[in-house]
């Protein structure tokens, strides 16, 4: 039974996130119903991780096993013919049976865009956080470096009623479970930086995995450093507190985009 | 009574065009209700011309007279605070009483974007026409030049049941009415060219005024030249035919954007 890997781009604006839910449109749900229209199979493709409502992806990865005899080269066109224009399959390829979008992932890269000028062009409104107020961008750049390495990111994890939900949300389990236990909030961040890109101030972060809301909570906390509410070194203290209430508010979903999943 | 000129950018995706209509969301309607919330006045701002549902603007112009004592410098912020993020006021300025967004306009510039690669990024889906099939772009570039100058553009005008509607649609009356009569479809096009811009093939046209659907009908006809269905020189014959059925189909609204209004 062929195991297929899809690389997907999507505009999350009109979806209630990745994960299939009853009575609402999700990326996973639309993908599943498109596969069903093509092969008749009732398959739930597995993503590298969930993205929340309004979060975008340039290259999300999903895997699923199919019994269909459709040649792998035809899947891309077949799916793109059926999917809405807001979801595009960029690549479809056959992978070994033990390859799994989430479990096989080594790391993921997210980007968060802040738009700085006074007036935000209407064409960017779904893709950036418009924040035209003063920010000490140099301080935010310094603070970003302090979270690299292996840390317990509990202070930046959403406090979810369902523990399991939190574990799989916005990230996979990069470190094998046996090494740290089911409940660990330890993640390894290999890159974390803010860069000016024209009118935008852009945060890029790569890590072994991300807890639910982790990137958006990091951005919300860096913003407090930019405003001067927090000092740069406070980032380290907040990490050590292992307490969600120590960190800043959750930045809006629309500025966030899953850039890449590394295997 | 101050006469105000607004310069507006909007994403037309979620609107039923510029012109106010009952029971549907339009740019003019949303603008009018925002002004009413600010001053209490029931004013219908006049645009430089109508744009159709799904058509965008980088710099549409609208004028209205107000009795409100609000300083002109406060209008930009007051409106942007109320308007949806899909409509932005870029400038608000006081102009002489006889200045009128449509009647005072000398020319307008439109842009039409065609996206050429096989897969269209979801983030561009609302702003381009995705046409990945072969096109002789050089032939389209040559054909574009043939419509410059003063011509009767009846072949490229929508056949509208209401004559008046057609006259004001997608353009103003650049030439004084007394010089050519109410029913004239004569317009002067001062620039008309296709240019490659990375993955996009982009049409830019500037003219004294545009008939309803004129730019989209021109694009649909240039496309027939690109496909080889029409010869380059056929553009001249189609102009001379003064018959809508001589030209190509109307290109989709989403690729069209009003770039600028010149006064």
């Amino acid at each position: 039974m062929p195991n297929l890997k899809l690389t997907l781009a999507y505009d999350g604006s009109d979806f209630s996130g990745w994960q299939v839910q009853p009575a609402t449109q999700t990326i996973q749900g639309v993908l599943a119903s498109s596969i069903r229209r093509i092969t008749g199979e009732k398959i739930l493709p597995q993503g590298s991780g969930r993205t929340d409502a309004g979060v975008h992806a340039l290259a999300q990865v999903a895997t699923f096993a199919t019994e269909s005899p459709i040649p792998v080269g035809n899947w891309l066109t077949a799916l793109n013919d059926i999917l809405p224009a807001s979801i595009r399959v960029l690549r479809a390829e056959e992978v070994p049976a033990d390859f799994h979008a989430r479990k096989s992932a080594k790391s993921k890269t997210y980007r968060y865009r802040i738009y700085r000028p006074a007036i935000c062009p209407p064409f960017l409104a779904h893709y950036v956080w418009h924040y035209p107020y003063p920010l000490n961008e140099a301080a935010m750049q310094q603070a970003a470096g302090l979270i690299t390495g292996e840390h317990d990111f509990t202070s930046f994890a959403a406090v979810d009623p369902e523990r399991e939900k939190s574990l799989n949300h916005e990230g996979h389990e990069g470190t094998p479970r046996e090494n740290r236990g089911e409940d660990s909030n330890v993640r390894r961040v290999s890159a974390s930086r803010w860069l000016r890109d024209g009118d935008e101030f852009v945060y890029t972060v790569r890590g072994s995995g991300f807890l639910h809301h982790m990137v958006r909570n990091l951005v919300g906390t860096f913003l407090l450093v930019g405003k001067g509410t927090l000092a740069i070194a406070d980032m380290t203290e907040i990490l050590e507190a292992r307490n969600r209430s120590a960190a800043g508010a959750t930045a809006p979903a629309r500025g966030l985009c899953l850039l890449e999943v590394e295997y």
Side-chain angles (χ1 to χ4, degrees), chain A residues 48-224:
Chain A
S48 73
R50 304 175 189 176
T51 51
D52 283 325
V55 174
H56 315 289
L58 280 188
Q60 167 71 289
V61 172
T63 45
F64 64 96
T66 173
E67 293 186 24
S68 156
I70 296 169
V72 63
N74 294 5
W75 271 98
L76 186 136
T77 309
L79 280 168
N80 281 338
D81 280 354
I82 291 176
L83 287 165
S86 47
I87 306 177
R88 291 291 89 184
V89 180
L90 305 179
R91 269 192 309 284
E93 51 201 312
E94 199 175 332
V95 285
D98 64 349
F99 183 90
H100 185 281
R102 179 170 55 79
K103 295 175 190 161
S104 307
K106 288 205 172 55
S107 66
K108 299 202 317 204
T109 307
Y110 280 94
R111 178 182 69 188
Y112 197 97
R113 297 164 66 183
I114 295 186
Y115 191 80
R116 302 286 293 128
I119 301 172
C120 182
F123 313 99
L124 290 182
H126 290 299
Y127 311 115
V128 298
W129 182 17
H130 182 215
Y131 193 89
Y133 313 106
L135 282 179
N136 182 340
E137 296 183 0
M140 293 170 70
Q141 288 173 320
Q142 283 188 261
L146 297 181
I147 65 136
T148 57
E150 196 166 272
H151 301 284
D152 181 322
F153 283 96
T154 302
S155 295
F156 299 98
V159 180
D160 282 333
E162 301 167 63
R163 181 66 194 151
E164 188 52 36
K165 201 171 170 181
S166 159
L167 265 173
N168 286 329
H169 233 105
E170 208 182 272
H172 62 94
E173 302 305 298
T175 315
R177 291 194 174 203
E178 56 270 29
N179 291 357
R180 52 175 177 68
E182 282 280 321
D183 280 349
S184 170
N185 279 341
V186 174
R187 295 292 183 279
R188 166 165 287 281
V189 170
S190 54
S192 164
R193 57 173 166 267
W194 283 97
L195 283 174
R196 250 289 172 173
D197 182 12
D199 288 333
E200 298 181 19
F201 195 44
V202 180
Y203 179 60
T204 308
V205 61
R206 174 174 295 190
S208 62
F210 293 89
L211 304 164
H212 188 202
H213 283 181
M214 178 169 150
V215 182
R216 291 161 60 190
N217 290 341
L218 283 167
V219 168
T221 309
F222 290 134
L223 197 91
L224 295 180

